[in-house]
Amino acid sequence: MYSLDVNFLRERREREKPAKVTEEQGKPAPSLEGNLPLIIGAVVGLAVPAAVGGFWYFTNLQKAQLQRQITSLEQELGQLQNQQQQVTQRQEELAQAESNLTALANIFNQVKPLSAILEDVRDRAPDNVQINRRGRVDSLSQ
């Protein structure tokens, strides 16, 4: 019988071996055509975290500004509360002084002068009665 001898090694084409690149020759430039999706992915991969980082920095900056503004407003509020307490205290002092003044004025309205008291006693006493300094009443004889 016949045998089939196939020699695959003989029919194979020889490939060209790439020339070894030495440091003096330099490396061949990579092509962008095959690496375009890789480049787009790298740009998107770097842009998204950069955008998130920028947003985070911006919000922290605004937060710090608002915190400073809150602190200054709280200080101003404290000063205004102190002033309000002083005004309230002065109003209370004024009301107390007005009540004292009204009470004092009422006392003077109720107190009669000594001359008015003596005139009243003179009008009420009979004509033949004399009052001396010690408060004794002497009757005058006619």
Side-chain angles (χ1 to χ4, degrees):
M1 295 227 144
Y2 296 101
S3 78
L4 183 61
D5 279 332
V6 177
N7 189 351
F8 290 109
L9 293 177
R10 201 178 332 152
E11 295 177 5
R12 186 175 74 167
R13 289 190 223 167
E14 282 193 37
R15 295 185 187 175
E16 292 181 22
K17 291 185 180 177
K20 289 188 178 180
V21 178
T22 60
E23 290 181 20
E24 295 173 3
Q25 292 174 343
K27 294 184 179 180
S31 67
L32 291 177
E33 187 176 301
N35 294 331
L36 188 59
L38 181 64
I39 292 172
I40 292 173
V43 168
V44 169
L46 293 175
V48 170
V52 170
F55 179 72
W56 177 76
Y57 175 76
F58 181 71
T59 54
N60 279 344
L61 184 66
Q62 282 185 336
K63 183 179 174 183
Q65 288 175 348
L66 289 175
Q67 198 68 16
R68 286 192 298 269
Q69 189 177 10
I70 287 171
T71 303
S72 67
L73 289 176
E74 284 177 348
Q75 289 175 352
E76 187 178 342
L77 179 64
Q79 292 173 353
L80 291 175
Q81 285 177 342
N82 287 340
Q83 289 177 356
Q84 184 179 9
Q85 285 178 343
Q86 290 174 354
V87 167
T88 304
Q89 183 181 7
R90 299 260 166 84
Q91 286 176 343
E92 290 174 358
E93 290 174 2
L94 181 63
Q96 182 68 31
E98 286 177 352
S99 67
N100 288 344
L101 182 63
T102 304
L104 184 63
N106 288 339
I107 288 174
F108 283 119
N109 287 340
Q110 293 174 357
V111 173
K112 294 182 181 178
L114 185 60
S115 61
I117 294 173
L118 290 176
E119 183 180 344
D120 186 39
V121 170
R122 184 188 71 196
D123 291 340
R124 290 182 187 201
D127 290 336
N128 60 354
V129 175
Q130 182 179 5
I131 301 175
N132 62 14
R133 288 187 190 180
R134 293 186 186 152
R136 281 189 352 203
V137 177
D138 295 327
S139 134
L140 297 175
S141 53
Q142 287 182 352

